[in-house]
Amino acid sequence: MAIWQREATLEQLNQRSADCMVGHLGIRFIALNDDSLEAVMPVDQRTTQPFGLLHGGAPAVLAETLGSMAGYLCTCGEQQVVGLEINANHLRSAREGEVRGVCRALHLGRSHQVWQIEIFDRQQRLCCISRLTTSVIMAKPEQR
């Protein structure tokens, strides 16, 4: 049974994310499963540090993007999701290709959510594991 409360297509998720940091970094949603959301991010000049490795902040952006969008999809009506805390453990570096993030819920409560995001390199090796805590809030009238 799917955890999502809102209906959305991958095309809609990608279109909504095109004109912000998500689009600037080339992050693309690639799978919306019953209990997980997946996206890829290129390892290129936008996401690497000066020594050619994937910048440590880039997987955090990918994780925050996945967890926030998944969190939003688990709300309804005028509810919105904002990030409260994120951590990321970098386990392996990536130098080329793209990385793939897989986001799954650890806790879906009325007022907060906890998401686990695993990020893999192109050889499907775990590069980073992240946890994002979000708060579910009501949208202010000017945000609707």
Side-chain angles (χ1 to χ4, degrees):
M1 184 155 143
I3 62 173
W4 316 118
Q5 300 297 310
R6 298 180 191 268
E7 290 188 27
T9 66
L10 292 173
E11 181 180 340
Q12 290 168 328
L13 297 181
N14 286 315
Q15 186 176 43
R16 183 174 201 148
S17 302
D19 294 326
C20 61
M21 178 185 266
V22 178
H24 176 71
L25 293 182
I27 295 172
R28 293 179 295 109
F29 294 98
I30 60 165
L32 180 60
N33 304 306
D34 284 349
D35 66 349
S36 66
L37 180 61
E38 298 183 30
V40 292
M41 179 177 64
V43 179
D44 63 15
Q45 76 283 356
R46 295 171 289 182
T47 59
T48 56
Q49 37 94 309
F51 304 103
L53 300 173
L54 183 63
H55 189 288
V61 172
L62 178 57
E64 177 91 27
T65 298
L66 279 162
S68 294
M69 188 61 81
Y72 174 74
L73 292 174
C74 286
T75 63
C76 55
E78 299 300 320
Q79 292 177 318
Q80 292 183 338
V81 171
V82 294
L84 292 179
E85 188 270 339
I86 188 167
N87 70 33
N89 294 102
H90 304 291
L91 308 172
R92 176 183 304 277
S93 62
R95 290 185 172 271
E96 60 187 3
E98 60 185 18
V99 291
R100 178 178 59 92
V102 180
C103 177
R104 290 187 175 84
L106 295 177
H107 172 75
L108 295 174
R110 284 183 288 121
S111 62
H112 73 279
Q113 308 163 338
V114 180
W115 298 92
Q116 177 172 292
I117 302 93
E118 296 175 319
I119 300 174
F120 301 91
D121 67 11
R122 66 184 194 171
Q123 287 85 30
Q124 305 310 312
R125 298 176 298 191
L126 186 62
C127 291
C128 177
I129 188 157
S130 183
R131 188 178 61 244
L132 173 70
T133 303
T134 59
S135 179
V136 179
I137 62 171
M138 291 303 291
K140 294 179 182 175
E142 66 270 11
Q143 296 173 324
R144 292 182 186 157

